[in-house]
Amino acid sequence: MTGTLPAADELTVAGRRMRCRITGDGPPVVLLHGIGRTLDDFTAQQELLAADHRVLSVDLPGHGGSAPLDVPHTLPALAAAVADFLDAAGVSWPARLVGNSSAGRWRCGSPPTRRTGRPAWCWSTAPGSAGR
């Protein structure tokens, strides 16, 4: 690791500020943190993956530097917000979604995939979600 990642940026998504970091070029990989965490959890992974992927990490709504939603922060609502973020970031599909903790549990088959009809390859570090 060389410590070359740029500072996090912000995108306006559905009228809300979302803190994100977008690096690299290639097939898209989306890094999703767990509840109560931030995109900074994936700094080392983002730096390594950016060598041959377009890597997007984002603070989920109400976490880190991202504004909260106007609706209850349910897992489906957070997943829908991620889908909006990916659209705003111009992600081409299929995307690889990587989540840890609660993000790992809900992101496979979640609204980002169902709502758009776009395929996604999912990998999780959440307990009990192996083989998804």
Side-chain angles (χ1 to χ4, degrees), residues 25-30 52-56 86 90-97 121:
D25 190 32
V29 175
V30 182
D52 52 8
H53 292 84
R54 181 175 184 220
V55 185
L56 302 94
L86 296 177
V91 169
S92 60
W93 295 79
R96 289 132 181 100
L97 306 178
W121 180 88

Side-chain angles (χ1 to χ4, degrees), residues 38-103:
T38 72
L39 63 81
D40 296 317
D41 287 352
F42 286 108
T43 298
Q45 293 84 354
Q46 182 150 7
E47 187 172 351
L48 292 170
L49 289 167
D52 52 8
H53 292 84
R54 181 175 184 220
V55 185
L56 302 94
S57 57
V58 60
D59 282 346
L60 295 174
H63 295 77
S66 291
L69 298 173
D70 294 332
V71 298
H73 284 209
T74 63
L75 293 179
L78 292 173
V82 170
D84 291 340
F85 164 75
L86 296 177
D87 288 342
V91 169
S92 60
W93 295 79
R96 289 132 181 100
L97 306 178
V98 178
N100 72 325
S101 189
S102 57

Side-chain angles (χ1 to χ4, degrees), residues 89-118:
V91 169
S92 60
W93 295 79
R96 289 132 181 100
L97 306 178
V98 178
N100 72 325
S101 189
S102 57
R105 187 170 298 280
W106 59 262
R107 93 281 163 270
C108 285
S110 65
T113 302
R114 284 192 203 144
R115 186 177 84 177
T116 63
R118 299 169 178 162

